[in-house]
Amino acid sequence: MYGIISIKKNMMACDERKDERDFMVRSQIAARGVRDRRVLEAMRGVPRHLFVPRPYSAEAYDDYPLPIGSGQTISQPYIVAFMAEALRLKGNERVLEIGTGSGYQTALLSMLAREIFSMERIAALLEGARAVLKSLGVDNVQVRLGDGFFGWAEMAPFDAIILSAAPFDIPDAILHQLADGGRLVAPVGPLGAQTLVRMTRRGVHFDTEALLDVAFVAMRPGLS
Ligand code: SAH
């Protein structure tokens, strides 16, 4: 087990609104059963307010998702923490994230694993996320514009894969990029009837567990 391997200097220095983050972790995340100490510590560390559009800044640590532009949302803090815990990261993994969005979850993952590869189909969101991650000094993340339905074949295999938009079914192309023993965590299904699932690869088989009922934006094909 590794400690948090990459709390960047700048992120450490961000004491701004630390009390709100501590309260968020106590009242929304630990209180609902997230136990992984590294996840709790990372949630206390990442300045979520920097990933939220200015008009919503005051609500950055509240218990719900928020609009981030282009019709997309940053997930509720609890859901971000729950999914990060579900990936069972120890610190040495290479992780694929599909749906960079604001880059908030990307920043969290950067503190929990060795290397993060994050894809987004909307250029405006990707550029915003890239700028915030850079300003925080995060240096173990690669982001790129791309259609997540195809995954990121050049960088495969991944020890963990996380989707933050919901397909009807997990595309085979993505499953093929999961390493043996690797975990994929994703919302699956149509809006109104989505389930968060974890699939663990065992050779040619995938063990599937249903974890939670959820409401995510739909995964869409192509670039925008
Ligand atoms: N984890 C993000 C959540 C963003 S919402 C955050 O913390 O802000 C989900 C994101 O998935 C959206 O930005 C959406 O544009 C993106 N997305 C949807 N379909 C996609 C696809 N096929 N490939 C890559 N990204 C996709």
Side-chain angles (χ1 to χ4, degrees):
M1 171 77 83
Y2 294 70
I4 289 194
I5 52 172
S6 60
I7 296 188
K8 301 301 171 214
K9 284 196 296 293
N10 298 347
M11 267 208 234
M12 287 281 271
C14 186
D15 280 342
E16 217 176 62
R17 304 183 64 173
K18 181 84 170 72
D19 291 350
E20 286 176 79
R21 283 197 292 285
D22 289 349
F23 182 71
M24 170 187 81
V25 167
R26 263 203 319 280
S27 63
Q28 300 173 29
I29 296 169
R32 291 197 182 107
V34 174
R35 290 279 170 268
D36 185 324
R37 296 173 66 88
R38 297 171 70 246
V39 171
L40 297 177
E41 193 180 339
M43 294 293 295
R44 283 191 287 263
V46 179
R48 180 172 162 99
H49 60 282
L50 301 183
F51 294 89
V52 164
R54 206 171 290 274
Y56 300 102
S57 179
E59 297 166 74
Y61 297 101
D62 291 349
D63 194 13
Y64 42 78
L66 290 167
I68 54 172
S70 307
Q72 306 304 314
T73 52
I74 178 172
S75 303
Q76 178 191 15
Y78 167 64
I79 293 294
V80 177
F82 183 93
M83 290 174 81
E85 179 172 66
L87 287 173
R88 298 194 165 131
L89 300 172
K90 301 276 184 262
N92 202 24
E93 299 83 359
R94 299 171 74 254
V95 181
L96 173 66
E97 175 186 49
I98 294 173
T100 316
S102 67
Y104 172 64
Q105 181 173 264
T106 321
L108 189 83
L109 294 170
S110 81
M111 297 168 73
L112 298 170
R114 178 157 54 93
E115 240 185 321
I116 315 301
F117 301 88
S118 183
M119 303 176 63
E120 170 58 54
R121 64 181 285 277
I122 300 178
L125 291 176
L126 186 77
E127 291 320 314
R130 201 197 295 273
V132 185
L133 292 168
K134 188 167 178 223
S135 75
L136 290 170
V138 175
D139 64 3
N140 59 339
V141 169
Q142 287 188 47
V143 296
R144 80 158 167 97
L145 195 64
D147 180 352
F149 276 103
F150 300 100
W152 193 332
E154 305 88 312
M155 298 299 177
F158 301 100
D159 306 300
I161 300 179
I162 183 166
L163 273 60
S164 25
F168 286 152
D169 291 299
I170 307 293
D172 283 347
I174 297 179
L175 288 176
H176 285 139
Q177 294 177 20
L178 194 60
D180 200 12
R183 286 82 53 206
L184 172 144
V185 171
V188 184
L191 194 60
Q194 291 172 4
T195 307
L196 190 73
V197 300
R198 173 170 52 209
M199 298 176 77
T200 305
R201 183 168 196 166
R202 310 255 177 241
V204 295
H205 299 288
F206 293 87
D207 295 342
T208 304
E209 302 159 82
L211 303 177
L212 205 63
D213 291 338
V214 287
F216 276 74
V217 295
M219 192 164 164
R220 295 191 190 291
L223 302 183
S224 167

